[in-house]
Structures are given as structure tokens and as C-alpha cells.
Amino acid sequence: MMEQCSYPSIFIYGHRATGKSHVIHTLLKELELPYATVSCVECVSVGLLFEQVLLPLFGSDSASLLSRSPSLSDFVRVYKQLCVQASAKQTRYIVLDRAELLRDMEANLLPAFLRLQELVEDNVTVILLSEIVWDKFRPNTGCFEPLLLHFPDYSKGELQQILSEDSHPSYSPELYSAFINILLGVFYSVCRDLRELRHLAALNFSKFIEPLEQGKVKESDTHKLWRNIEPHLKKAMQTVYLREVSSVQWEQQLQMEEKEAGAVRGLSAHAHVELPYYSKFLLIAAYLASYNPARTDKRFFLKHHGKIKNTNFLKKNEKPPPQISSLGTLQLLNQVGHDDQLDAPKYKCAVSLDFILAISRTVSFDMVKYLYDFL
Amino acid sequence: EMTSSVSKGCFVFKPSAKKRRKTPTVEDYFTRGCEDTENSKLRFRNCQTLWEKMNADTELLQDELNRKILDSLLAFIRKSVSTFQRGTDDWVSRMRAHEIPTAALVLGVNVPDHDMTFQCLSDQLQQSVTPFVVSVQATECAALNHMLQRVLERLMGTSVSVDNEEEPEQCSTNVNQKRVHCSLITLCNWYKTVTKVCTASSTARKKRTSVGKDMQQHPPIVVIFKDLEAFNPKVLQDFILICSRYVEQLPLMFVFGIATSPSTIQHMLPHSVSSLLGIELFQSLSCTQHLASVIDKVILTSQFPFKPNGKVLQVLVSIFLYHDFSVRNFIKGLQLALLEHFHSQPLSVLCCKKEAALVHATELSHRDVERLQQLPSFMRYVEEQGPQEQVELLTSVDHVKEVCQKLLKDLCKYHKNYYTTLRCLHILTASLPKYPLGKQIRELHISCLEKNVWENDEYACTLLEMKKSRRTKKMSQFEILRDQALEFIDSLVRSHLAPPESQPLYEVCYYSSSAVLRRHLNATPRTSIQTALSNPYHYLKNEDLRAEDGTVSNAAPDICIVYKLHLECGRLINLTLISLHLPNDLFWKPSEICLGTSIVTCFHKLNRNMCIARFIQAVSELEFLGFIKSTKQKTDHVSRLTWGGC
């Protein structure tokens, strides 16, 4: 791989936390190869991408050679220029992480990177990392086919092995391994993400070894340890895994005694929104209009308006001001259809049934009578 | 000579400085429209003093109410900083993910009020925690590069370039500013330089006593997202992804300003992004509670001489409850009522602190004394007096002034008693089931303002409910005492909670034109447009336009004529058919022709093409106003957008 010309481009794909960038970066560091790594999400402009490629490969002065708004040909020209000054003894590597974002940038960027070796006449290989398969990348106009490498998900055994490597320094590796086993038993069905599992292991290990610390059990009593930790892990799945509560709050909760710990209400428990009176009716009407079939509208809406006229508070000269745009800003109504249809904006109600039922209860409007699906 | 030139042109002559008129001040505007300019300056000053006090009090209240939530927010930020400082010493810190501490601040749907809260938060953070605080709004962050640019520019104070933008013509004012790249790497480098400088000079600086050593060395960078729901989710997600890559080098912290509920975070951010944040929830005071505190401070007190009457208060409260939940708009409505009162009521010169009012009473002009005598409440007072007294009151100006002073003192006493009794009654009845007299004290206050509260059915029921006793013949000690207490309170209510209309000179302090207020605050532009179109004389006041019974004269603007035409049509209007049958004298305009030295007005018929052209122009104006709209259902047709009594 070092002195010969290597394959111009490699495409590596796999799910989150399957070790793609970890393996690549470890390899490049261990073998002390010259490389530049760029995460495409940071590159709000193409110039930034080019700069971040040139800086690690050619030093801090190289970026100044680029013009203010460099195009691809500028980049190629500068690269060639810099190559002349610092010719490559080994293959240079350019690692592009989150490469799927290249598809949204200028159309010539992706094909160019795939055959950069040819364009700059230098011994360089471009490695693309992505979670999306190559079939979704291939441009319509065709391109150079890179070498495809797939990183499959870890199996349960592999996860066990990897996670057990980072055992806690104060405890035996076997104990930690048992802990990981229990953790995987609870979480493997919902989560295979290595990073997330490691995070959960870190948060919950202290609770796991609590009975050991307190001297209640011995290391070999795995069953007792399991009984202690399993309900907490199940609760963790409902709360900290879903980020209903933050990790810090979770740690605090674990430290508190059972009796003291009140339930920390998760984020989604606070779904109540206080709305002004007319906004509530507007939202109800929008919900009815969005979710009832169009032909039933006449039947429901005439009755609906009749109901409003019967109540006393809508006086004749008082008209509710247009609040549709503010409901849109609150994401309770979504705009549907083209932006350029200014004369006929279409909206759709974006709230759930539970939410709208709660609201209709606060204004004493029996909503269920008007919902087509419930008749 | 100054206007001679080779080509035709337009020449501007600015007025010379000497001739330039003095720009009118607010006071001039106020006094210009006043009935009586003699005391209008005094009224203006009263008005201003009262408004400044009201403003200061409500701002103080806002600060106090915000304090609790700001304190907990500051505590959270300080705690997060120390977590950052802990570093990777222990095993847990090495293993766990580095999340960005995030405070989810739920503020409520009254978005206009949030600006003040965020300003307050920003200021407090900059004073006591860190100088690196930046606020962003959704409107400025339509794309990722804009967002990064705003954040970087506001933090670093230099201008940040985004490559694909054109270089502006003028350079920035500060010549030392360089243009830097729009990326977080720049921010990292800047942060390192700035904190090195800080550490070097921290020994010299002994000011910050409340900030820990950690924070002096590594002050956190706080990014406040003022209106989270309005942000483009993709932009937000990308921003968080970028920031989390630098979380070890930059101590970043986020504050999300949420209007609806915290579950909006889960709607906007997928799990892969929200797992990069450590989110904790902070709820602020509900806006109805805030309103209750404001009303308590500004209206239910004898400290403020100005008072809105029942209907006016009802208008303001219903706008709050039905439309926008905005306390700021409520206060603006009160300010409008204040201004209207002082502007329209000449006797409001007496509406100020008691001592000053007594002095002004002695200085009333003859015209003002007449006005006083004509006040309905004063006339009622006169009728209740003996014949001797009545004669004096109607004839002697000095006596009227003396009596006025006495009545003003009585009014003050009335208010002191009223509010105390009101609060007693509220506490007594607020916890009853089904809230017969209202759950909030403002509801009770409004019913007391409108009529004698003891005549209310609910009041009688309330007393009865509280007097409920067991059906034993002998009443227990407690029940006897209870009945006595209730009778005492009932007597207090009857003597002190009479509505203000029962007090002479109440018009001085109470503003009662709720219709005027409603017209200003609940504007209906559609009604104005329709009036203008169907009856142009109403606004233009041109005699040629005067027309009876809903017809419109041919001299009216074209759009009025076409508007009337369209009202007679059905849902779909056939434009071609109408334009074929337009009478030539449908639109005519008087025009002035210069014949020699005299100017002659004549009306002329339009030719066919001109008529059709004007018709089409008027139709497009009508479309612009939103009355009709082009439709695909039939060619050459337009559809009506409004119905019925237009």
C-alpha cells in the first residue's frame, strides 16, 4: 500500500458505531501514513472542504493559495502545485466522513473525488465513509466505481467481547463481563449501537456494584447482582435511553435512596400546552378539516359553526384575528403544498388525537361527535 | 438659474436650517388634540409619571418572577461547567459519551413576551457566569452557514466570511477586523487565545468573586435558541452534530427556548442527534399567573390613582385570554387606556397622588369647576344634600373646591377599604367548589365593579354554603362563631365593595370607554376596507361621491364601482361577459382642461378600449385586496372569496 499506486477510491459503509472511522483512523495512525480527515457535515462551503484537505497534507501555508471561492479546478491546480514542491513518497489518504452530504454539494464534486488520483496525477486515495449504500450514491452520469467495503453490525457475542475490554480498573474483568452480559440481555433487542451501550454501561455500573460496596453480596453472587440491577436497567430503557431525562439526572437518581427518589418526569410527560381560547377553536377546526374526509366537511362544519353561534361569547362585531401563522410557527399546523401558492395556502393539523381531545375538553366541546372515524 | 439644465430633471431643494420647523415632541401631540390646553400640560405630566411608575413596577415584577427560573438555570450551567472540568481522570468520564449540556426552557405560547426573558437571562449570564453568550433566532438561521456565521460573529466580534457570498462594497468599520473562515476550528483557536489571555491576567483581576476558579479559566460558551419550534430541523440537527465534534475543546452549552412543550424536541431531533445532548427541563411561570401578579400590582392597589372600569378591564382580559396570552400586550392596552383617559377627560388633572390632587383642586379654573359641577356623580351628590348646601354648591366656586377636596379624600379612603375587603372576600370564596364567585381575584373584582356584588345570586349561594350547619337544634360553638364571622364579613362587603359609580368624582379616576379601546386594540381592517369600497364618501368626503341608499356614483373610484358590480354576481364571475356589456359611461372622471387663462371642468365619456382597460385594472386591484381570485374551473372566470353581508 505504501509506495505503489493504490486504488483511487474506497467506499466504506455500515451502520452507526460499526467501527468504520475507528478502524480507518487507527490503521492510518499506527502505520504513520499521511492523511487528511474531513467530516462533510462541517463543510458549509466547498472552500472549507478543500482547505481541510490541503492543510494536514501540505502544511499550514497551503490553504492560502486557494482563492476566496475556490472551484474544483482551483483545488486541483493548487494541489498539483503543492505536489511539485512536496512529492509523495507514500500514498496520501483523504478520508471523507458523512460522505452522503457530498451528493448535496456541487454535482462535480463526488465524481471528481472518486478519481482524484487521475486528476491531480498524484499517489492519493480517497476513502469515503457513509451509513448509506453505494447504490444511492451513484450519479446518473456515471462515475468511477470505488472499491466497496461493508462493515456489518456486531453480533451479540462481538458486542460482549468489545464492551468487556474496557473493564473498570478496580474490579475484575470477569465481574465486568458479567455486568455487560446483563446489560446486553436488557438492551440488545432495542439497541446495537456500540457507543450508546458503552455510555449506558458507564452510567449504570456504579449501581451494579452497589451491593458489593455495601458488603451485602460477594462477587460470585451474580444472581443477586442481577436482581439488583435489572429493574434499574429496565427503567433506564424508558428514560435515559430515550433521553427523557438527561444522563446527569439519571446518575443523581441512582445515587439517591430508593425511598427518597421521586419520579423525575420525563420530557414527554410535559405535553400540555396552554393556548388562548380562539386558538383552541381554530386548532380543533383545523383538525376536523384535516382528518375528516372532504365530503363530510359540509355536514360537520355547518353543525360546528352552529355550535359556535349558539354560545354567547362570540359577539357579532368581534372577529378572531388570523392566528394561523402563529399556530404554524408553533408547529401545531404545518404548511402543505407549494410555497409559491400564495393565494391558496394549505395547512394541515399536526397534533395528535390525544392532544386535540385534551384541548377540546378544556373548552367543553365534544369532539368525538364530529370525528368521522368515530361515528 | 438653479433649475436650468440641458436635460429634463427633477430638482430637490432642502429647507434651510433657519426655516426648518421645530419637530414636535410627544407633549405637543398630546396637547394639540386636547379639549383644554390650559391644564393639558399638567395632565400630560400626570400621565407620564403614572406610566413611568407602571412600567417600572411591571419590569420589576417581571424580574422577580423570572428570578426563580433564572437562578435554577444559572445553577445548572455552573454545575455543567464543573463536569466539563472534571476531565478524563476517572473511568466513568472516559467511558461515557460527552454530551452538550442543554437547558430546555419552556416559556409558553406568548412569544412576544419571551424577548424580555431572554434579554434578562443573557445579561445575568454575562455578569455572573461567562462573557461568551450568544442568542440566535430562527429567522436569521435559514441555512447552516448563516447560523454558523451569526454564532461566530457574535462571539468573536469579527466579521466572518462564508465563501459563496459576495464581498460587500464597504469594509467593516473597525480596520483591525480580519475576515475569518466560517468554521468551528476558527472558534476553537479563538477560544484558546482568549482564555490564555484571561488566565494570564486573572491574577491582576480580582473582581470576580462569585465565579469559581474553573470558570475563570474555561468560561463556557452559551448558545441561546430563542424560538426552537421555528428553526429548520435539518439546520438545527447539523449544527448540533458539528458542535458535538468539538465538545472536548469547547465548553459549549445550549439553552432551548420552547413555546409549546418539551416533546417538541423529540419531534425535531432524531435519537441520533438528541443523544448528543444532555437535556434538562425548566418550566417558567404560566402566563395566567403572571397576569394575576401584574393586575395585583398595578390595578388592585390604592397606590395607582388611575383605574380601568369593569368593561375596560374585561376587554383587556378577554384579549389576553382569547387571543394571545401576552402580558406585554396587556400592559400596552393599559397604557393606551391611561393615555386616552388623560387625553379625553379634562378633570384628570386631579388624577394623581392625594397631596398633589388636593393642591390642584384649589387651582382649578372656572371652566374646570363648571365641568366638575356637570359630572353625573357630582350632580347625584348635590341632590342628596340639604337645600342650603345645594345652593352653595351650585353658586360658590370656592365652596365647590373645598367640597372637591373632601370628596377626593373620601375617594382615597374608599379605594383603601375596597381592596382590603376584596382580598378578604377572595380568600374566603376562592377555595369553594365550582368557584361561584370566580377562581381568580380579577374575576371577583370585575363583578364587583359592575354591580352590587351582594345582589348576585352566586354571592347569596356562597354565604349559604358557608353557613351550612348540621341539622341539630343547638349550634356548636364553632358554628356560632362562624356565623358571626360571616355576618361581619357580609357587613364589610355591603359597606365597602360598592361599585365605584356610587362614589362622587369617580369619573376623575376611572376610564370607561371600552368601545374606543376595543376599536383600537381589536382592529378589523376588513371592515374598514369594505366601508371604503361601498361608501367612499365616508373617507374621502368629496361631495361628488355622496350617494344614498347604498348606490355609488359614477364619480367614485373605479374599484368601488367594480366592487359593487361583483357583489351582484354569483360564485363564479364571467369577466368576458361583463366586459362585453359594460356601458361606456360606467367610469367617468372629471378632468380639468386649461382653455386659455381659465380652467374648465368637464366630464367626458371614455372610448370603449379605455373603459375595458380600466375595468381590467380595477378587477386586478380587487384581486389584490383578496375579494376575488382567478380560478381554473372555467376560463375567463374569477371566483368570489367573500359572501353575504359584505
Side-chain angles (χ1 to χ4, degrees):
Chain A
M1 211 169 25
M2 295 212 219
E3 269 138 26
Q4 304 156 339
C5 230
S6 65
Y7 203 78
S9 47
I10 306 175
F11 182 80
I12 301 179
Y13 67 104
H15 285 151
R16 256 173 65 103
T18 42
K20 308 185 290 293
S21 52
H22 182 73
V23 166
I24 291 296
H25 284 116
T26 314
L27 252 180
L28 291 171
K29 282 200 196 106
E30 290 287 309
L31 296 175
E32 291 178 6
L33 299 167
Y35 73 101
T37 178
V38 183
S39 173
C40 295
V41 72
E42 280 184 45
C43 300
V44 292
S45 70
V46 177
L48 273 172
L49 175 62
F50 295 149
E51 206 178 272
Q52 287 191 27
V53 167
L54 291 178
L55 277 174
L57 290 179
F58 296 108
S60 46
D61 297 328
S62 52
S64 49
L65 291 172
L66 280 174
S67 59
R68 260 186 64 78
S69 270
S71 67
L72 181 64
S73 43
D74 288 330
F75 171 65
V76 169
R77 178 177 47 81
V78 169
Y79 191 104
K80 278 190 181 167
Q81 214 177 328
L82 292 164
C83 264
V84 165
Q85 295 161 11
S87 57
K89 302 174 208 69
Q90 312 170 328
T91 318
R92 294 197 178 101
Y93 292 92
I94 301 177
V95 181
L96 297 174
D97 201 359
R98 297 286 308 270
E100 65 268 14
L101 295 172
L102 282 175
R103 303 177 296 173
D104 305 327
M105 296 191 200
E106 283 145 0
N108 57 358
L109 213 55
L110 182 60
F113 272 111
L114 288 169
R115 33 171 30 134
L116 195 65
Q117 201 179 76
E118 209 180 302
L119 278 174
V120 299
E121 292 164 0
D122 183 42
N123 190 4
V124 63
T125 296
V126 175
I127 303 178
L128 300 164
L129 302 175
S130 176
E131 288 179 35
I132 300 181
V133 296
W134 174 244
D135 290 330
K136 303 241 188 237
F137 272 73
R138 196 181 283 119
N140 295 348
T141 45
C143 65
F144 182 81
E145 291 285 321
L147 203 59
L148 297 180
L149 266 180
H150 175 55
F151 273 56
D153 288 348
Y154 295 119
S155 69
K156 192 167 176 184
E158 286 170 342
L159 282 172
Q160 167 87 30
Q161 225 180 339
I162 297 173
L163 286 168
S164 308
E165 298 272 314
D166 296 297
S167 65
H168 196 283
S170 324
Y171 296 90
S172 69
E174 293 79 29
L175 180 69
Y176 192 72
S177 201
F179 168 63
I180 293 294
N181 202 4
I182 298 172
L183 186 81
L184 281 175
V186 174
F187 279 100
Y188 185 70
S189 50
V190 297
C191 174
R192 314 261 165 105
D193 185 339
L194 182 60
R195 274 195 281 252
E196 189 68 28
L197 289 168
R198 185 185 283 140
H199 178 69
L200 288 165
L203 287 183
N204 292 295
F205 189 63
S206 54
K207 189 73 185 175
F208 177 73
I209 53 173
E210 201 181 58
L212 265 178
E213 302 263 302
Q214 291 169 346
K216 289 185 196 160
V217 295
K218 295 196 296 283
E219 264 199 36
S220 43
D221 280 333
T222 36
H223 185 71
K224 283 206 185 122
L225 288 169
W226 173 81
R227 262 224 314 256
N228 174 49
I229 192 70
E230 205 228 2
H232 283 106
L233 289 179
K234 283 233 154 68
K235 207 159 78 150
M237 193 148 73
Q238 305 288 339
T239 54
V240 72
Y241 172 64
L242 296 173
R243 295 299 188 276
E244 286 275 325
V245 298
S246 77
S247 316
V248 173
Q249 286 173 316
W250 177 253
E251 285 176 318
Q252 282 173 347
Q253 261 208 309
L254 287 182
Q255 277 168 20
M256 288 196 285
E257 284 293 325
E258 296 268 340
K259 348 180 227 308
E260 285 171 16
V264 176
R265 294 176 68 204
L267 288 184
S268 57
H270 298 264
H272 171 66
V273 180
E274 248 189 72
L275 282 174
Y277 194 74
Y278 288 151
S279 302
K280 287 182 187 171
F281 272 109
L282 205 61
L283 202 61
I284 292 174
Y287 189 87
L288 289 173
S290 305
Y291 294 106
N292 278 338
R295 55 194 159 82
T296 58
D297 267 353
K298 183 168 166 207
R299 174 163 67 133
F300 284 129
F301 268 97
L302 283 181
K303 262 192 349 195
H304 173 71
H305 282 127
K307 172 100 171 118
I308 292 200
K309 283 207 182 88
N310 283 341
T311 49
N312 289 333
F313 26 70
L314 196 63
K315 300 192 185 74
K316 228 184 357 172
N317 54 355
E318 208 173 289
K319 288 189 201 146
Q323 293 173 334
I324 292 184
S325 59
S326 40
L327 284 177
T329 323
L330 294 176
Q331 299 293 315
L332 295 170
L333 289 182
N334 282 335
Q335 194 157 10
V336 167
H338 264 301
D339 275 331
D340 38 316
Q341 271 183 321
L342 281 175
D343 53 344
K346 289 190 169 63
Y347 288 89
K348 185 177 157 113
C349 194
V351 299
S352 66
L353 180 63
D354 291 330
F355 186 85
I356 203 76
L357 283 177
I359 290 205
S360 59
R361 244 170 295 169
T362 64
V363 293
S364 319
F365 180 66
D366 187 4
M367 186 131 179
V368 180
K369 275 198 301 191
Y370 294 86
L371 285 171
Y372 184 72
D373 293 327
F374 286 83
L375 286 183
Chain B
E1 316 73 43
M2 279 173 47
T3 55
S4 70
S5 85
V6 177
S7 58
K8 273 193 191 171
C10 195
F11 300 92
V12 173
F13 293 96
K14 278 192 180 167
S16 65
K18 275 178 279 182
K19 284 194 206 157
R20 201 172 291 164
R21 274 184 300 133
K22 194 166 65 98
T23 44
T25 62
V26 178
E27 189 170 334
D28 292 332
Y29 280 116
F30 185 90
T31 50
R32 200 186 298 172
C34 269
E35 274 182 27
D36 188 337
T37 49
E38 294 161 12
N39 64 1
S40 62
K41 286 206 166 75
L42 199 58
R43 278 148 60 190
F44 179 71
R45 242 173 290 139
N46 278 351
C47 182
Q48 283 294 81
T49 326
L50 272 182
W51 166 242
E52 275 157 24
K53 183 159 193 321
M54 194 188 286
N55 203 17
D57 281 352
T58 45
E59 280 186 1
L60 214 66
L61 193 67
Q62 171 95 10
D63 283 345
E64 271 172 42
L65 291 173
N66 278 340
R67 179 160 310 144
K68 188 158 164 267
I69 195 173
L70 290 180
D71 283 346
S72 47
L73 210 57
L74 288 175
F76 167 73
I77 292 182
R78 288 198 188 99
K79 186 180 62 171
S80 311
V81 172
S82 53
T83 320
F84 174 78
Q85 289 306 312
R86 215 195 301 157
T88 50
D89 290 341
D90 62 337
W91 176 82
V92 177
S93 309
R94 253 183 294 133
M95 286 279 286
R96 58 182 290 170
H98 281 230
E99 296 165 334
I100 303 177
T102 306
L105 192 58
V106 181
L107 290 171
V109 298
N110 47 329
V111 175
D113 294 355
H114 296 174
D115 274 338
M116 288 195 292
T117 316
F118 282 121
Q119 190 57 42
C120 208
L121 173 65
S122 197
D123 292 337
Q124 281 211 15
L125 279 173
Q126 284 184 316
Q127 273 172 20
S128 61
V129 177
T130 168
F132 308 135
V133 181
V134 59
S135 303
V136 287
Q137 257 176 296
T139 42
E140 322 171 298
C141 305
L144 184 60
N145 52 0
H146 294 149
M147 190 162 182
L148 280 173
Q149 197 178 10
R150 296 278 171 277
V151 170
L152 262 57
E153 274 179 357
R154 285 178 191 164
L155 278 175
M156 304 195 298
T158 58
S159 45
V160 174
S161 74
V162 180
D163 279 342
N164 45 3
E165 276 176 12
E166 286 177 13
E167 180 119 29
E169 286 288 330
Q170 286 209 347
C171 287
S172 41
T173 49
N174 187 354
V175 273
N176 290 333
Q177 286 179 353
K178 292 183 289 183
R179 295 197 78 92
V180 292
H181 268 303
C182 183
S183 98
L184 280 194
I185 301 177
T186 323
L187 190 66
C188 283
N189 296 335
W190 167 83
Y191 186 74
K192 276 189 209 121
T193 13
V194 169
T195 48
K196 247 184 267 175
V197 169
C198 267
T199 334
S201 65
S202 68
T203 45
R205 237 186 281 176
K206 300 241 167 83
K207 268 193 236 169
R208 296 192 200 149
T209 49
S210 60
V211 177
K213 180 162 171 284
D214 284 343
M215 269 201 288
Q216 276 186 322
Q217 287 179 340
H218 294 277
I221 301 177
V222 182
V223 182
I224 301 178
F225 298 80
K226 285 199 208 169
D227 47 351
L228 192 76
E229 286 94 345
F231 275 86
N232 182 339
K234 189 83 183 41
V235 170
L236 192 65
Q237 288 166 29
D238 285 344
F239 183 74
I240 296 175
L241 276 168
I242 297 178
C243 288
S244 68
R245 287 172 52 86
Y246 291 92
V247 73
E248 274 146 52
Q249 302 161 46
L250 285 176
L252 282 166
M253 226 164 278
F254 292 154
V255 176
F256 286 165
I258 299 176
T260 50
S261 71
S263 49
T264 196
I265 299 180
Q266 290 160 338
H267 292 157
M268 291 187 76
L269 303 176
H271 185 259
S272 54
V273 174
S274 60
S275 56
L276 300 169
L277 304 171
I279 307 173
E280 280 191 38
L281 190 60
F282 296 88
Q283 292 257 10
S284 79
L285 205 62
S286 85
C287 34
T288 31
Q289 282 170 302
H290 190 181
L291 181 72
S293 318
V294 166
I295 291 182
D296 210 53
K297 192 87 195 254
V298 167
I299 295 178
L300 298 179
T301 167
S302 44
Q303 295 296 316
F304 270 114
F306 167 76
K307 311 239 164 272
N309 88 336
K311 287 208 168 59
V312 168
L313 196 56
Q314 187 71 303
V315 166
L316 291 174
V317 168
S318 31
I319 293 178
F320 177 87
L321 285 179
Y322 290 178
H323 292 169
D324 60 7
F325 271 6
S326 168
V327 173
R328 206 171 78 164
N329 289 349
F330 180 84
I331 296 175
K332 277 203 160 32
L334 262 183
Q335 185 187 12
L336 181 65
L338 184 74
L339 206 64
E340 282 283 318
H341 177 66
F342 278 94
H343 195 248
S344 55
Q345 173 60 273
L347 289 172
S348 59
V349 68
L350 299 173
C351 179
C352 48
K353 285 246 176 281
K354 188 167 81 172
E355 297 74 21
L358 295 175
V359 168
H360 292 320
T362 56
E363 294 164 357
L364 283 175
S365 68
H366 276 270
R367 185 81 189 85
D368 285 336
V369 169
E370 274 175 32
R371 289 196 185 106
L372 197 83
Q373 287 167 327
Q374 286 161 6
L375 282 180
S377 63
F378 190 79
M379 293 203 284
R380 253 193 319 233
Y381 173 77
V382 168
E383 280 164 26
E384 289 163 12
Q385 306 307 309
Q388 178 76 6
E389 179 71 18
Q390 282 184 357
V391 167
E392 280 221 37
L393 281 173
L394 292 171
T395 51
S396 156
V397 167
D398 289 326
H399 187 66
V400 168
K401 288 186 183 173
E402 250 180 67
V403 166
C404 178
Q405 288 188 317
K406 168 180 165 308
L407 291 176
L408 284 173
K409 285 190 206 153
D410 285 345
L411 202 60
C412 269
K413 209 161 69 162
Y414 159 76
H415 280 136
K416 286 202 179 98
N417 290 334
Y418 178 93
Y419 293 121
T420 329
T421 319
L422 185 75
R423 289 208 164 85
C424 285
L425 187 59
H426 175 66
I427 291 176
L428 208 58
T429 58
S431 41
L432 291 175
K434 293 210 188 128
Y435 313 112
L437 288 173
K439 189 169 157 193
Q440 307 264 0
I441 192 171
R442 58 173 153 83
E443 295 169 51
L444 183 62
H445 177 54
I446 291 178
S447 28
C448 290
L449 283 178
E450 288 179 341
K451 55 179 180 157
N452 292 336
V453 68
W454 56 88
E455 289 166 9
N456 252 344
D457 290 333
E458 287 98 354
Y459 181 78
C461 288
T462 308
L463 278 188
L464 222 59
E465 183 151 342
M466 291 197 278
K467 278 195 187 151
K468 256 192 318 212
S469 52
R470 279 171 290 172
R471 292 198 201 108
T472 52
K473 290 197 191 124
K474 180 172 167 226
M475 298 225 282
S476 70
Q477 271 295 78
F478 164 72
E479 281 167 355
I480 296 176
L481 211 59
R482 181 188 64 190
D483 284 353
Q484 281 180 346
L486 282 174
E487 297 222 355
F488 175 66
I489 297 211
D490 186 37
S491 69
L492 276 181
V493 166
R494 281 170 199 267
S495 52
H496 298 307
L497 278 186
E501 283 82 9
S502 59
Q503 306 298 313
L505 292 191
Y506 82 95
E507 291 97 340
V508 163
C509 300
Y510 280 82
Y511 176 67
S512 32
S513 316
S514 61
V516 169
L517 205 65
R518 190 196 295 273
R519 209 179 52 225
H520 284 299
L521 293 176
N522 252 356
T524 49
R526 184 71 105 165
T527 321
S528 319
I529 293 178
Q530 285 173 344
T531 316
L533 289 178
S534 42
N535 183 11
Y537 175 74
H538 181 84
Y539 288 108
L540 294 177
K541 306 286 187 212
N542 182 339
E543 285 307 318
D544 290 333
L545 296 175
R546 202 191 268 277
E548 309 84 27
D549 65 28
T551 59
V552 65
S553 89
N554 292 61
D558 296 349
I559 190 173
C560 299
I561 298 172
V562 176
Y563 176 75
K564 273 285 191 260
L565 263 180
H566 112 285
L567 284 180
E568 294 161 15
C569 298
R571 196 174 69 85
L572 286 177
I573 306 174
N574 190 337
L575 286 180
T576 340
L577 202 60
I578 293 182
S579 56
L580 277 176
H581 293 110
L582 283 178
N584 272 18
D585 63 348
L586 185 65
F587 315 111
W588 41 265
K589 288 286 180 299
S591 65
E592 295 173 349
I593 307 177
C594 197
L595 286 179
T597 51
S598 57
I599 298 182
V600 175
T601 312
C602 67
F603 302 107
H604 54 271
K605 272 194 195 172
L606 306 169
N607 66 22
R608 190 81 203 145
N609 289 336
M610 192 61 161
C611 189
I612 294 181
R614 280 172 56 165
F615 173 71
I616 293 179
Q617 183 175 36
V619 163
S620 20
E621 283 174 3
L622 216 56
E623 185 174 343
F624 180 70
L625 283 177
F627 287 99
I628 55 178
K629 163 180 101 137
S630 57
T631 173
K632 295 195 186 84
Q633 288 183 326
K634 284 186 182 172
T635 46
D636 288 345
H637 277 66
V638 289
S639 65
R640 272 182 75 167
L641 290 178
T642 57
W643 286 101
C646 305

